[in-house]
Structures are given as structure tokens and as C-alpha cells.
Amino acid sequence: MALTQEKTYTIDDIYALPDGERAELIDGQIYYMAPPNFRHQKLVSGLTHLLIQYIKTKGGGCEVIPAPFAVLLNADENIYVEPDVSVICDKSKLDDRGCNGAPDFIIEIVSPSSRRMDYSTKMTLYSDAGVREYWIVDPEKERTTVYHYEEDAAPVIFSFDHDIAVGIYKNLEIRISELLG
């Protein structure tokens, strides 16, 4: 009896998805994404706005882009993800298709369907790709896990009621609970 072979997908399969359908490509497998809920989108909007305002007032050159936005990690077409919030400081990585290479800072807001992906798969992908800082904001547990990959330090977990220093910027702290108020 022949073994069934699992289909391997490519970036072309991602781009061929029907309008409005979102998915990510990791190691030849497609992972479909459920529509985000109100709290998720409120956090994405609040974090995006706060980061844009900080960069604007400090005269920074980084771009802050919320999902849906294509990130081709390692500047190739083998891994296509759509982080909830991406901060890209090297503008040469940006083109009409998205970000080609690792963003400097990524924030993922955990949804019930994305928990395993955000805490495990993406944590490893982002570390290996050269992301400098990664936050996992978990509304259900009301905590944020922060990875500072440049420092090669253990992750730090903060409750939503604590100020969290943004490692790639000096003097920027974010209190997640204030974004939900």
C-alpha cells in the first residue's frame, strides 16, 4: 500500500487564496487564520497608534504596520507570516509585497486559535530570523511575554497593569491595560 503524501504549499498558494481569506505559510504548510475579535483589534489599533506617535515625536525612521501585512522572514518565500504589529527600521526591506526579512519588533495578540502558534512556532521563527524584540500579548491571561532576542535573555512576563519598556526604544513604556480602557 502506498503512503499518502502530504501536499507542500508555496507562496503562490497564499497569493491564490480568495479575497478576505487570511493564512500563513510555514515550512510548506498553510495555517488559516480566524477573524480577530473586538478586543484583539482594539489592542492592535492601540499599540499601532502608540508606536506611530512615539516614532513621530522622536523623529524616528521606523515604519509601524498592523496586520494584514506580509512578512517574508529570512527574505525568502518559504515563510510568510502576518504579525499583528510589525516595526521595521530598515526601509530597504519594504516593498509593495510587504517586508522582506525580519522586522525589528513584532507584537502578536493571542487568539484562542493562535495560542500554540504564537507561543511556540512563531517564537522560534522570529528568534531564528533575527527579530530583535517579540511581544506576546495574551488577553485571556492578561499578561504580556517579552523576548529581547538581542540580549539572549530569558523571556519576562508582565501583567497588563505593569509598564513594559520597549527594548528597541529608549523612554517608551506601554501599559496594556490602558489600551483596553
Side-chain angles (χ1 to χ4, degrees):
M1 172 156 70
L3 295 174
T4 58
Q5 190 171 11
E6 196 171 296
K7 180 171 170 53
T8 299
Y9 295 92
T10 69
I11 195 73
D12 293 331
D13 295 306
I14 291 290
Y15 289 125
L17 291 172
D19 284 345
E21 191 163 350
R22 292 179 53 212
E24 296 177 310
L25 175 69
I26 300 171
D27 296 330
Q29 294 303 302
I30 289 181
Y31 297 89
Y32 292 93
M33 299 164 63
N37 65 28
F38 171 73
R39 194 169 191 203
H40 180 281
Q41 289 305 96
K42 186 168 178 137
L43 286 167
V44 169
S45 296
L47 288 161
T48 300
H49 177 75
L50 198 144
L51 289 164
I52 288 171
Q53 287 305 113
Y54 179 83
I55 292 166
K56 189 175 184 179
T57 60
K58 298 297 180 184
C62 301
E63 293 286 341
V64 181
I65 307 181
F69 179 71
V71 173
L72 299 163
L73 287 176
N74 304 319
D76 63 29
E77 296 186 347
N78 295 324
I79 300 173
Y80 170 102
V81 293
E82 292 186 4
D84 289 313
V85 180
S86 299
V87 178
I88 300 108
C89 298
D90 179 355
K91 291 186 182 180
S92 71
K93 292 180 179 181
L94 298 170
D95 64 23
D96 285 341
R97 286 182 30 168
C99 178
N100 298 289
D104 294 88
F105 180 25
I106 288 177
I107 302 172
E108 293 282 10
I109 313 300
V110 176
S111 299
S113 63
S114 74
R115 180 169 300 284
R116 184 168 178 229
M117 184 75 76
D118 293 339
Y119 277 104
S120 179
T121 305
K122 287 185 177 179
M123 187 271 301
T124 302
L125 286 175
Y126 296 157
S127 173
D128 291 348
V131 172
R132 294 167 55 196
E133 185 168 354
Y134 174 42
W135 288 18
I136 303 171
V137 179
D138 192 330
E140 184 179 308
K141 297 185 184 226
E142 295 191 357
R143 69 181 187 196
T144 301
T145 305
V146 176
Y147 294 87
H148 294 283
Y149 293 129
E150 286 184 317
E151 298 169 10
D152 198 27
V156 180
I157 299 172
F158 298 90
S159 77
F160 277 12
D161 291 326
H162 282 86
D163 291 333
I164 306 170
V166 177
I168 69 166
Y169 295 119
K170 300 288 183 218
N171 306 317
L172 175 59
E173 292 185 341
I174 298 174
R175 183 175 293 211
I176 301 295
S177 63
E178 291 179 355
L179 300 173
L180 293 169

